[in-house]
Amino acid sequence: MWCSRVSLRRLQRIAVAPLNASSPVISMQRASSTLPRVYVTRKIPPEGLRILSESGQVQYELWDSDDPVPRQELLRRVRGVDGLVCVLTEKIDGELLDAAGPNLRVLSTMSVGYDHLSLEELKKRGIRVGYTPDVLTDAVAELTVALLLTTSRRLIEATHEAKTGGWGTWRTMWLCGYELANSTVGILGLGRIGVAIAERLKPFKVQKFIYTDVAPRPELARTIQAEYVSMEELAKQSDFLAVCCALTPETQGICNRKLFSQMKNTAVFINTSRGGVVNQEDLYEALSSGQIAAAGLDVTTPEPLPTSHPLFTLKNCVILPHVASASYSTRNAMSALAANNLLTGLRGEPMPKELKL
């Protein structure tokens, strides 16, 4: 994959620290080790752990749980580390970097998004940052298409009716939805994922692809024959609007009352980027009033979204628990890339995927 396999004969003895319910920690220590210390904030998929273990380059400690490491525990565990592997639920800010201390020189996040990182703080301290774009493009594009079809064709509603006795005689307009043939699909933020979504939607006989971004992206747009339009035109023309932009100060809450008011009342809104780009109160109003037809969300604010949230009361809103990249191959590829970013960074070499600060 990203690094060659190391024979087991070359590995030094690995001792596993005992686990207990209050502190699910695994320490990968080597006898008389002077190797760089690394903290891994979550139980990442096995391929990444294999690469770290077989590298012979680091000693690492792992929070061996699917649940996030408690903040105070995290602040304690990062003291003196040379490297840090994290996921998107960990807030990497000045407080944490202060707790880690001056030894920390490489951070590797197992995510394509980096809104959980204080980039200015990292830049100020000269800490290199690796992330994991590209490897999750296909999985996210597939999930986006699945969510779009599920939402537009009202599959969750239909399944519920079939299970609960609502399925009676055949009715002419019952559970009718919206189809992709002859439609206009809008993409907010045309990057690799936006292009991959459009490529998958083409066989559905979509009539037109449009997009908006901070600036035209002619090379990417050419591959899917997409037209650059203003934000207003994107809202007005789209039968299906897919949000694929990164969360930045400029995109925070960009999908709001103004956008929804410009959309067709038959339009379907899909977000698989970050929850923060959507004003959820405005979205609820648009859905409940019939201003737009339906919405499908894989991301929300906060995550998890409380079950009492009003969006869960709407039949025309499908909400998934942030699973766009959740395929076995993709998650393993993400963890492998995160591990290799860390190892090459600690060696002072170019990372496979480095975020330039």
Side-chain angles (χ1 to χ4, degrees):
M1 221 167 190
W2 284 272
C3 75
S4 61
R5 292 181 176 273
V6 180
S7 68
L8 291 176
R9 291 190 301 272
R10 293 176 57 195
L11 293 179
Q12 295 175 312
R13 182 176 59 85
I14 296 175
V16 180
L19 303 184
N20 59 63
S22 62
S23 182
V25 175
I26 291 181
S27 293
M28 308 302 280
Q29 302 279 354
R30 289 162 178 82
S32 63
S33 176
T34 58
L35 297 174
R37 287 181 55 224
V38 170
Y39 187 67
V40 184
T41 69
R42 190 72 65 87
K43 182 170 68 176
I44 62 173
E47 187 63 16
L49 292 179
R50 182 193 66 78
I51 290 170
L52 291 178
S53 297
E54 295 184 2
S55 71
Q57 185 183 331
V58 296
Q59 53 176 323
Y60 72 86
E61 187 174 73
L62 165 71
W63 183 257
D64 190 31
S65 173
D66 286 325
D67 295 319
V69 53
R71 180 70 175 182
Q72 291 306 310
E73 180 76 3
L74 176 60
L75 294 176
R76 186 172 69 85
R77 294 285 178 181
V78 298
R79 290 174 189 162
V81 298
D82 301 277
L84 184 65
V85 178
C86 70
V87 296
L88 53 83
T89 56
E90 271 68 72
K91 185 178 181 182
I92 309 300
D93 56 10
E95 179 189 37
L96 184 137
L97 298 176
D98 286 341
N103 285 354
L104 181 60
R105 48 199 168 98
V106 178
L107 181 143
S108 180
T109 180
M110 195 183 117
S111 65
V112 63
Y114 43 83
D115 47 282
H116 57 302
L117 309 179
S118 296
L119 300 183
E120 284 302 317
E121 292 289 339
L122 290 159
K123 182 178 181 180
K124 184 169 68 176
R125 291 166 168 81
I127 298 170
R128 296 175 65 187
V129 177
Y131 69 135
T132 59
D134 300 338
V135 292
L136 48 64
T137 298
D138 289 335
V140 174
E142 287 178 9
L143 189 282
T144 303
V145 172
L147 180 57
L148 187 154
L149 291 169
T150 297
T151 304
S152 64
R153 296 303 301 270
R154 302 171 67 178
L155 300 188
I156 302 300
E157 285 183 75
T159 300
H160 176 76
E161 294 294 329
K163 285 182 176 180
T164 59
W167 184 5
T169 185
W170 187 84
R171 287 165 271 176
T172 57
M173 299 299 291
W174 187 54
L175 289 173
C176 284
Y178 301 94
E179 60 188 73
L180 282 157
N182 303 310
S183 69
T184 294
V185 172
I187 299 170
L188 176 54
L190 186 66
R192 293 174 296 270
I193 292 173
V195 169
I197 291 168
E199 289 172 341
R200 285 158 174 77
L201 291 178
K202 275 186 178 182
F204 288 90
K205 300 181 181 178
V206 171
Q207 185 176 71
K208 184 180 181 182
F209 290 102
I210 58 177
Y211 77 98
T212 195
D213 211 314
V214 292
R217 308 192 69 177
E219 291 186 10
L220 282 174
R222 198 174 299 119
T223 63
I224 55 171
Q225 290 80 55
E227 176 189 345
Y228 178 78
V229 297
S230 66
M231 188 74 164
E232 182 176 351
E233 284 302 311
L234 186 82
K236 288 180 176 179
Q237 294 186 37
S238 296
D239 296 299
F240 301 89
L241 201 165
V243 181
C244 306
C245 61
L247 178 59
T248 66
E250 292 73 29
T251 61
Q252 179 78 39
I254 196 172
C255 300
N256 53 25
R257 180 176 285 104
K258 181 180 178 181
L259 177 81
F260 300 132
S261 68
Q262 294 168 337
M263 292 173 68
K264 303 174 183 179
N265 61 10
T266 56
V268 176
F269 176 84
I270 303 294
N271 183 21
T272 54
S273 60
R274 284 290 185 267
V277 304
V278 178
N279 183 310
Q280 290 175 172
E281 289 72 26
D282 292 352
L283 177 60
Y284 174 80
E285 180 61 31
L287 290 168
S288 59
S289 67
Q291 197 167 63
I292 64 174
L297 311 173
D298 184 49
V299 287
T300 61
T301 302
E303 293 184 357
L305 191 66
T307 56
S308 60
H309 196 281
L311 284 172
F312 279 121
T313 68
L314 301 175
K315 290 184 177 180
N316 58 344
C317 187
V318 176
I319 301 174
L320 303 180
H322 203 152
V323 292
S325 65
S327 74
Y328 292 110
S329 57
T330 291
R331 291 286 172 85
N332 264 304
M334 289 173 71
S335 72
L337 180 51
N340 280 290
N341 281 336
L342 177 88
L343 295 175
T344 54
L346 288 172
R347 291 196 299 266
E349 299 171 2
M351 294 181 182
K353 293 294 177 180
E354 183 167 358
L355 188 62
K356 299 302 181 182
L357 302 181

